[in-house]
Amino acid sequence: MQVKQVAVSDIIVPDSRARATFSPEQDAELEASIKMHGFVVPILVAPTPDGKYVLVDGEHRLRIAEKLGLSVVPAAIFEGDERKLTLLNILANTARGMQDPMGVAEQLKKCVDAGLGEDELAAATGHTRDWVHFYILLNELPDAYKAKLKTGELKVGHVREALRLPTPIEVDAALQSTLIHNWDVVVLREYVNRRLPELREIYREGEPEQLPVPPSPEKALEMVEYRSCMACGRTVKNVDMRMPAICQQCYDFLNYFAQQFHDTQQAMETLYKAYTFYMDAIQAGGKPSSQSLAAEVQAAARSQPPSVEVEPVEGGSLQIDAETLALARKLKLLREAGLI
């Protein structure tokens, strides 16, 4: 492979090729390096029958040379068939780890069309056969999504997550919501994880006569931002959800308590009041028997008094309503049973 000076005007850059992407800082750094030291690494080209050259690798360096007004650049001349040139282009760009995914997908497809197998491409690129197969499938995406992959608005991970959904219409809806809400891959994965059980339920009894309508972008946003509490059934924001380790007895207790109230905040306040009353009652006159406490509850329920007054140790009065008093009794029984 010889290296010689090649006129910039004689170098043809193919429209379809793998391309590495660079940040503005990297552009400035490369430009400064070429200004000071010239081309440290020649670009790679292949000759054409008409005396021109097709660029194989080095588009970034070539563009900087054009910007700086250079008329010639050093180039390594590679002579080989189309299949080898295409593979070399992929290897040169994927090695940098910052490639345009659609460029890689298109070049891999060209390699397959030229007779290279997916196993050969996997061995050459250092990736798995599944990786190669997935990138080749990117060529079948609608043009709009290919363009978003080229600009970086969509990542390969977005497409991979969306393709877990069973139908093209579901995949399209997921990617549309991703673009509208600017979701990262993690958020889209959450959406897909929430949507799949819903679809499994729909398809449980066989193919429906009419395909289910995917969630709108607004509904999709709600799906990833909110979920239902498994204890009280309320819909709350994900940031307010907790999933600690919990034993069966505690779960049963919390679940029972949540079901007694429509408002969980009210449930917590009532529980706190009942527990406080129970502890104050113990301090005021010793631990009451369950029979005497039950009698108080029954009397309160019959007469429907606005409150029951108990004298705490410190003096003054403690106001408690019949509902809280009844709950205090339940707490006492739970405490005696060793559950709290």
Side-chain angles (χ1 to χ4, degrees):
M1 187 184 298
Q2 62 171 323
V3 177
K4 68 177 186 179
Q5 296 292 323
V6 174
V8 171
S9 59
D10 287 341
I11 300 173
I12 302 166
V13 180
D15 291 333
S16 175
R17 62 187 306 276
R19 289 176 169 87
T21 55
F22 296 86
S23 67
E25 293 77 13
Q26 290 171 313
D27 278 342
E29 189 176 309
L30 179 59
E31 182 177 345
S33 174
I34 291 176
K35 279 181 179 178
M36 182 173 296
H37 307 292
F39 273 74
V40 177
V41 180
I43 64 173
L44 184 62
V45 297
T48 65
D50 59 0
K52 301 288 187 179
Y53 296 91
V54 175
L55 182 71
V56 178
D57 180 54
E59 183 178 1
H60 190 217
R61 282 163 284 159
L62 181 63
R63 298 306 182 201
I64 295 294
E66 291 175 331
K67 180 180 178 182
L68 294 174
L70 301 180
S71 59
V72 295
V73 294
I77 313 301
F78 177 84
E79 299 199 31
D81 59 26
E82 179 69 19
R83 184 171 66 174
K84 289 181 179 178
L85 288 174
T86 302
L87 183 57
L88 189 59
N89 171 239
I90 293 173
L91 294 175
N93 284 279
T94 56
R96 297 187 181 97
M98 298 177 60
Q99 63 277 2
D100 157 27
M102 281 313 305
V104 173
E106 290 162 3
Q107 293 301 89
L108 286 170
K109 180 67 164 56
K110 285 177 67 175
C111 285
V112 170
D113 292 342
L116 276 172
E118 292 184 0
D119 289 327
E120 292 177 273
L121 289 171
T125 59
H127 291 283
T128 65
R129 187 180 186 279
D130 287 342
W131 182 92
V132 172
H133 182 71
F134 178 77
Y135 266 78
I136 292 172
L137 285 179
L138 293 181
N139 290 285
E140 300 178 15
L141 287 173
D143 290 341
Y145 293 136
K146 291 180 184 178
K148 297 299 182 182
L149 281 168
K150 285 180 178 289
T151 61
E153 294 173 77
L154 279 179
K155 306 296 183 187
V156 172
H158 286 125
V159 178
R160 194 183 297 276
E161 290 298 330
L163 287 177
R164 292 167 53 206
L165 294 164
T167 64
I169 190 172
E170 289 286 343
V171 172
D172 182 66
L175 292 176
Q176 285 294 328
S177 293
T178 296
L179 291 168
I180 290 171
H181 302 305
N182 195 29
W183 285 344
D184 61 22
V185 176
V186 173
V187 176
L188 177 56
R189 183 181 303 124
E190 172 69 14
Y191 167 81
V192 174
N193 287 343
R194 299 284 301 281
R195 181 61 177 159
L196 283 174
E198 296 178 356
L199 292 172
R200 280 195 290 269
E201 188 64 29
I202 293 172
Y203 287 98
R204 188 182 300 279
E205 298 181 0
E207 291 287 336
E209 293 184 4
Q210 186 173 358
L211 289 176
V213 178
S216 66
E218 294 74 21
K219 176 63 177 176
L221 182 62
E222 182 180 319
M223 286 173 65
V224 297
E225 287 193 345
Y226 295 85
R227 64 173 53 192
S228 297
C229 175
M230 65 181 184
C232 66
R234 290 186 309 141
T235 299
V236 297
K237 282 196 170 185
N238 276 334
V239 294
D240 296 325
M241 295 294 289
R242 297 292 181 269
M243 185 55 71
I246 184 170
C247 72
Q248 187 63 45
Q249 286 181 319
C250 289
Y251 172 76
D252 291 341
F253 171 70
L254 292 173
N255 193 42
Y256 166 78
F257 198 77
Q259 290 174 1
Q260 307 307 307
F261 297 85
H262 296 295
D263 184 343
T264 307
Q265 182 65 33
Q266 178 191 358
M268 294 300 103
E269 290 175 357
T270 304
L271 175 60
Y272 175 75
K273 285 166 58 180
Y275 183 73
T276 302
F277 166 74
Y278 175 68
M279 295 305 296
D280 287 345
I282 291 176
Q283 294 176 4
K287 186 173 182 179
S289 67
S290 58
Q291 292 86 352
S292 62
L293 193 56
E296 290 182 57
V297 173
Q298 291 170 0
R302 285 195 301 270
S303 59
Q304 296 294 325
S307 64
V308 177
E309 231 174 70
V310 177
E311 292 295 327
V313 175
E314 297 84 357
S317 63
L318 175 66
Q319 298 279 327
I320 195 71
D321 54 39
E323 181 182 32
T324 303
L325 190 62
L327 190 56
R329 176 179 175 274
K330 292 178 181 178
L331 284 171
K332 174 181 179 294
L333 296 175
L334 289 167
R335 185 186 180 94
E336 289 176 345
L339 296 178
I340 58 172

